[in-house]
Amino acid sequence: MSTGLSMTAPDRLEPIRRFVNTLDMEAGTDALQDAAGLRGWLNAAGLRPDRPVSDDELRRARELREALRTAASANHNKAALPPATVAVLDDVAKRAGISLSFTSGREWRLTAQADGVDGALGELVLRVVESMTAGTWPRLKVCAGDACRWAFYDSSRAGTGKWCSMKLCGNRAKQEAWRNRRRTTG
Ligand SMILES: [Zn+2]
């Protein structure tokens, strides 16, 4: 669902949330439907691929999107990531040629060396790394509603949010549970 309530993530993590939500399951729309769509999205996000996008790159971008959705979903109960998900993230990092360098200011920096889509997708996984380091990553989640799966930032105090919106998906789940209870008891 896409009512865009107060579910936005901290600045550097927000593009990841938006990337996952390029697929809107409820509306049945996909901003990454074709190569032009991916290029447009990356440009708008300031991750300019600077050249035409191939079908192979489109496929990898969509794979990354689902890997991130799975990873965010695992944040609900700190579940282990499936090996296939880890493999996709690793592959993106490898193709992006991520390198570590140190600065004179006694800090370090990770950068994606590759250009084009590989570099742009690398920039996205670097945002995940950054978020993991900052401790905000565990709060990026996807709605527990099977038909929804919308990515949201869980800003609840306890960090136990399950739904993109309590009003919509949360209530829908409660009603279903209530109907099921009534069916089994009555
Ligand atoms: Zn939802």
Side-chain angles (χ1 to χ4, degrees), residues 1 143 148 150 164-165 169:
M1 73 102 229
C143 180
C148 180
W150 188 255
C164 62
S165 154
C169 289

Side-chain angles (χ1 to χ4, degrees), residues 75-151:
N75 281 338
H76 280 295
N77 54 1
K78 315 272 182 289
L81 296 184
T85 301
V86 174
V88 169
L89 297 174
D90 282 353
D91 185 58
V92 169
K94 193 171 170 186
R95 284 175 185 277
I98 288 173
S99 78
L100 167 68
S101 56
F102 294 90
T103 72
S104 51
R106 301 182 307 278
E107 289 178 335
W108 52 272
R109 198 164 38 209
L110 292 170
T111 41
Q113 301 292 316
D115 56 6
V117 171
D118 284 339
L121 298 183
E123 175 62 26
L124 287 175
V125 298
L126 282 180
R127 299 288 181 97
V128 173
V129 172
E130 213 175 288
S131 164
M132 285 172 166
T133 311
T136 51
W137 175 253
R139 285 180 176 263
L140 187 77
K141 299 177 176 178
V142 295
C143 180
D146 283 340
C148 180
R149 311 281 286 149
W150 188 255

